[in-house]
Amino acid sequence: MIATARKRTGYLLILPAAVWLAIFFVVPFYSLLATSLFDPEGSVLTGYDVTWHFANYWDALSEYGTVMLRSLWYAAIATFFCLILGYLLSYAIAFKAGRWKTVMLVLVIAPFFTSFLIRTLAWKMILADDGFVVNALQAVHFLGDDGRLLATPVAVVAGLTYNFLPFMILPLYTSLEKMDPKLNEAAADLYANPFTRFWKVTWPLSLPGVVGGTLLTFIPAAGDYINAELLGSPNERMVGNVIQSLFTTQGNYALAGALSVSLMVIIVTMVLVYVRRAGTEELL
Amino acid sequence: MSQVSSGTGRDLRLVGLHKTYPNGFTAVHDLDLVVPQGSFFALLGPSGCGKTTTLRMVAGLETPTAGTISIGESEITATKPYNRPVNTVFQNYALFPHLSIAENVEFGLKRRKVYDSGKQVKEILALTELEEQANKRPGQLSGGQQQRVALARAIVNRPEVLLLDEPLGALDLKLRRAMQVELKRIQEEVGITFVHVTHDQEEAMSMADTVAVMNQGVIEQLGSPYDLYTNPHTTFVANFLGRSNLIKGTVVGREGTGDDAVVKVDMHGTIASIKASKVHTDSKDGWLGIRPEKVLIQPEGTAIDAPGSSIPGCVVTDASYLGVSTDYTVRMPWGQEIICFEQNTGRRGGLIPVGTKVDVSWRPEFAFLLDASQDAGAGRQED
């Protein structure tokens, strides 16, 4: 009796979230799937029919395959930079910051007090053609006299890196912070030099944070369209920009749906393979 | 120190070792110490006495402010921890949670690229009775097993000196006693110098050949457990190692020479003789110390089994029966209460009831005399 009562409590606790997800995720997802199988001939005037038109997927991927690859590529580079920058910073906050720990963590989260859009617009100013970054790079001849950053892949990847860095830092910090500093001492005592200590002890123990952080960075970055929209040119279009434009301006719902579902399937597959290989299934 | 042969060459030697932390706290004060090769050495003291800091400096995890550390002829004061022939068993073991037991034990061997590491790991796991746990993770083991893994992981490297930082502190009493025997056995088997840090005097006494009692960054006294217990030099040692009754006395004279020399002490009107070798004060006043189990009591009017004079007019104010022994509290004629542990041999045929008038005495060779300027409560443990 008690066991069943406990079980019922469990179900009751997940009920609100389950209802929420059913209404705002399962139903829209089903609708998205249906949209992706619309007859492409449909229009606002003639109406739309689900005709199980799987060729939509073929059309979407053959037409926008490069955009899709570019999205994954940009997201991967941004994730890589986030990992490097984020790991150094998390390590410093966790082990070296002392009494500045809290202040530094607040600073990591501080950008969230401003809108994502505004922050990205600010990057547009920072990287502007007559901005100090471009001027400085031109002064040291890193950029030519008419060289620019805005509307280049550099700007888009830099924007992605900046915007998703906190999502890398927080899980990394959490996993580093709970590491017992005695383990490092034990490794030192057992003939491991600082380099070996990092690769044999610190790094493996921070893997859950690395996996968590890279997922939280890569997944939203791959689907992002704000950075490419504001900092890039049509040459840097990402899949998010294409989907947005297909849906809102071109009214090609079938293709937009097929592209959305494709992106989702690709990312989920990549995540599964990645998590398997990292050996951190407990995260899922 | 006398029972352990010195001079085999690879003694651990600390000279003028000093540690002051940036916040100004001096943890270790000008410490000189020689730990003979192959001995089981204990650093005993209350928390904050500097024993762990001393150990960490030997391990290389803490940098001394001054002084040197050497093993035999080689000085290691500035050597990085990973280049020292020293291994540590950490207080809470610090086992690598992501590695199996075998991998934990193999860690040090692999770093030094020992080629038959697999075989050595097997041997040490056998010695510590951990073969069945080899493929488990530390989290799956009990406290006692984890303790043995920590030990195996350190001694597999055959260090010249093994440092043990409160290694049994996290275990329950029964397991602790069992592990004491185990540790002693392993030390005798491998013959490595063990330096054991602990605040548990029973642990130190039962295992170590030599015990150094530390207090406030200095070594108060060093010697075999027997010497420390029977002939403490300071009130701190007298109270920290077991318990002591300390009674105010005044030196009134000396008699005899050589081994028979005794110091006469007037203790509230009763004259007690103390062997000169157990007198540790030059001043006129002193604390006469006597261990509770050495105190003999007998109801007034019956003969007492001790030579010399006894102190009449004492009263039993408390008796707690502990089965194997009884703890009596006795009020002396001058008002001080002293404690007396009596083995329940059955000789008395019962307990002495509270309120009984008793005579108190002890064999003079058991008493010691300490400096009166020292705090009689120093080192006393709350219990």
Side-chain angles (χ1 to χ4, degrees):
Chain A
M1 280 305 284
I2 294 169
T4 44
R6 283 215 178 123
K7 234 175 183 172
R8 205 179 312 137
T9 316
Y11 287 128
L12 277 173
L13 286 171
I14 61 168
L15 189 65
V19 170
W20 183 271
L21 281 176
I23 299 174
F24 296 106
F25 179 72
V26 178
V27 173
F29 182 68
Y30 173 79
S31 143
L32 182 69
L33 269 182
T35 309
S36 74
L37 299 171
F38 277 169
D39 180 355
E41 301 304 316
S43 71
V44 186
L45 297 177
T46 58
Y48 296 97
D49 295 313
V50 176
T51 55
W52 302 97
H53 199 278
F54 283 102
N56 286 341
Y57 283 87
W58 172 250
D59 293 343
L61 288 177
S62 56
E63 197 162 337
Y64 299 110
T66 35
V67 179
M68 180 73 82
L69 283 179
R70 186 189 297 137
S71 297
L72 298 175
W73 177 231
Y74 283 1
I77 305 175
T79 305
F80 175 75
F81 284 127
C82 279
L83 182 60
I84 306 269
L85 295 174
Y87 206 103
L88 295 175
L89 190 58
S90 317
Y91 191 92
I93 297 177
F95 298 125
K96 310 281 178 197
R99 62 204 180 91
W100 296 103
K101 211 176 214 178
T102 321
V103 176
M104 289 180 78
L105 276 177
V106 169
L107 287 177
V108 167
I109 303 166
F112 290 127
F113 293 119
T114 317
S115 132
F116 183 75
L117 207 59
I118 303 226
R119 281 182 282 133
T120 313
L121 279 168
W123 269 78
K124 201 168 177 168
M125 310 285 181
I126 295 169
L127 301 179
D129 291 347
D130 52 355
F132 72 95
V133 176
V134 170
N135 284 341
L137 289 176
Q138 282 171 344
V140 297
H141 299 285
F142 197 79
L143 276 178
D145 285 342
D146 53 352
R148 57 186 311 216
L149 288 176
L150 218 52
T152 66
V154 175
V156 178
V157 171
L160 287 171
T161 305
Y162 163 75
N163 276 312
F164 296 107
L165 189 56
F167 298 103
M168 180 65 88
I169 292 173
L170 293 178
L172 272 179
Y173 167 76
T174 313
S175 69
L176 284 172
E177 206 265 342
K178 69 179 179 197
M179 211 186 103
D180 182 0
K182 287 256 185 245
L183 294 178
N184 204 21
E185 291 189 344
D189 189 65
L190 292 164
Y191 313 101
N193 59 34
F195 182 79
T196 322
R197 290 209 286 280
F198 178 77
W199 285 113
K200 293 292 177 186
V201 178
T202 311
W203 174 257
L205 286 172
S206 67
L207 270 185
V210 172
V211 173
T214 45
L215 291 181
L216 287 178
T217 310
F218 181 81
I219 298 172
D224 180 75
Y225 66 96
I226 302 275
N227 285 282
E229 178 81 37
L230 296 178
L231 305 173
S233 72
N235 292 331
E236 285 81 40
R237 268 197 315 169
M238 291 174 69
V239 71
N241 305 85
V242 173
I243 293 170
Q244 187 228 10
S245 129
L246 285 174
F247 258 119
T248 56
T249 57
Q250 301 175 38
N252 194 342
Y253 297 153
L255 213 52
L259 208 51
S260 295
V261 174
S262 306
L263 178 66
M264 200 183 282
V265 170
I266 288 170
I267 288 182
V268 168
T269 313
M270 287 174 75
V271 165
L272 284 176
V273 172
Y274 173 61
V275 170
R276 264 290 146 74
R277 290 209 49 184
T280 43
E281 281 97 335
E282 62 264 35
L283 272 176
L284 288 184
Chain B
M1 228 113 109
S2 46
Q3 322 77 329
V4 187
S5 66
S6 180
T8 21
R10 300 298 285 174
D11 301 346
L12 172 67
R13 202 174 293 270
L14 313 182
V15 180
L17 202 64
H18 196 94
K19 176 70 184 181
T20 301
Y21 284 102
N23 64 11
F25 175 70
T26 298
V28 177
H29 198 94
D30 228 356
L31 188 94
D32 292 307
L33 183 63
V34 177
V35 179
Q37 184 185 25
S39 67
F40 199 133
F41 190 95
L43 272 176
L44 173 68
S47 58
C49 73
K51 58 190 193 299
T52 295
T53 306
T54 306
L55 195 81
R56 288 172 59 82
M57 286 193 282
V58 176
L61 301 170
E62 211 80 66
T63 317
T65 316
T68 59
I69 302 165
S70 32
I71 296 176
E73 294 305 305
S74 27
E75 195 194 315
I76 56 167
T77 318
T79 312
K80 296 279 183 204
Y82 50 89
N83 289 327
R84 295 185 185 211
V86 169
N87 288 108
T88 309
V89 176
F90 288 84
Q91 187 164 14
N92 293 311
Y93 319 138
L95 301 177
F96 303 120
H98 58 297
L99 301 178
S100 73
I101 300 313
E103 288 167 327
N104 262 281
V105 174
E106 204 177 15
F107 194 92
L109 297 175
K110 271 198 159 169
R111 301 288 82 75
R112 289 183 304 150
K113 308 201 164 44
V114 172
Y115 81 103
D116 64 341
S117 62
K119 187 171 147 266
Q120 294 193 30
V121 168
K122 270 215 175 94
E123 282 171 13
I124 223 78
L125 288 179
L127 180 73
T128 47
E129 289 159 21
L130 284 165
E131 293 118 312
E132 316 229 315
Q133 326 298 337
N135 296 316
K136 292 188 185 160
R137 294 281 171 100
Q140 296 167 283
L141 266 52
S142 71
Q145 289 170 329
Q146 292 188 22
Q147 209 289 323
R148 292 210 296 274
V149 177
L151 185 67
R153 185 178 69 170
I155 55 176
V156 73
N157 300 293
R158 303 263 154 194
E160 295 203 50
V161 178
L162 183 77
L163 306 172
L164 302 107
D165 185 7
E166 302 265 7
L168 310 179
L171 304 179
D172 62 49
L173 190 68
K174 219 174 159 186
L175 201 51
R176 199 151 70 217
R177 298 291 173 246
M179 279 306 296
Q180 286 174 10
V181 177
E182 187 81 342
L183 264 180
K184 185 78 189 153
R185 171 182 75 85
I186 290 172
Q187 196 266 338
E188 279 162 5
E189 209 149 313
V190 296
I192 295 170
T193 311
F194 274 35
V195 179
H196 182 123
V197 156
T198 179
H199 67 271
D200 180 341
Q201 48 114 354
E202 194 178 326
E203 190 175 303
M205 292 180 75
S206 67
M207 287 192 285
D209 308 317
T210 310
V211 177
V213 182
M214 265 189 101
N215 183 32
Q216 294 179 346
V218 297
I219 291 181
E220 291 255 342
Q221 193 178 345
L222 180 145
S224 71
Y226 183 84
D227 288 344
L228 288 178
Y229 188 79
T230 55
N231 190 7
H233 293 183
T234 64
T235 56
F236 180 85
V237 176
N239 289 321
F240 192 77
L241 220 73
R243 295 171 74 174
S244 293
N245 295 303
L246 296 176
I247 301 163
K248 201 116 209 157
T250 314
V251 177
V252 291
R254 286 164 194 276
E255 276 175 20
T257 48
D259 282 352
D260 298 329
V262 290
V263 172
K264 294 277 182 188
V265 176
D266 177 357
M267 182 182 68
H268 301 276
T270 307
I271 302 293
S273 309
I274 299 171
K275 288 173 79 174
S277 61
K278 293 194 175 184
V279 173
H280 304 289
T281 178
D282 297 326
S283 70
K284 231 173 102 54
D285 295 319
W287 293 111
L288 183 144
I290 185 75
R291 296 291 189 182
E293 74 280 6
K294 304 292 195 317
V295 175
L296 305 168
I297 60 174
Q298 193 68 356
E300 234 173 14
T302 46
I304 197 159
D305 176 32
S309 53
S310 61
I311 304 160
C314 311
V315 182
V316 173
T317 56
D318 189 39
S320 41
Y321 175 71
L322 302 173
V324 60
S325 64
T326 307
D327 290 6
Y328 290 104
T329 307
V330 178
R331 193 169 57 239
M332 305 302 280
W334 55 89
Q336 183 184 4
E337 290 198 319
I338 67 164
I339 36 176
C340 159
F341 299 162
E342 192 174 84
Q343 286 293 316
N344 291 327
T345 55
R347 172 179 62 90
R348 203 183 288 291
L351 301 181
I352 302 175
V354 171
T356 309
K357 291 201 162 181
V358 291
D359 294 342
V360 168
S361 187
W362 53 78
R363 292 178 169 271
E365 65 267 31
F366 293 138
F368 43 86
L369 191 70
L370 306 174
D371 201 292
S373 64
Q374 293 171 359
D375 176 11
R380 197 168 283 169
Q381 299 182 65
E382 306 295 326
D383 51 9

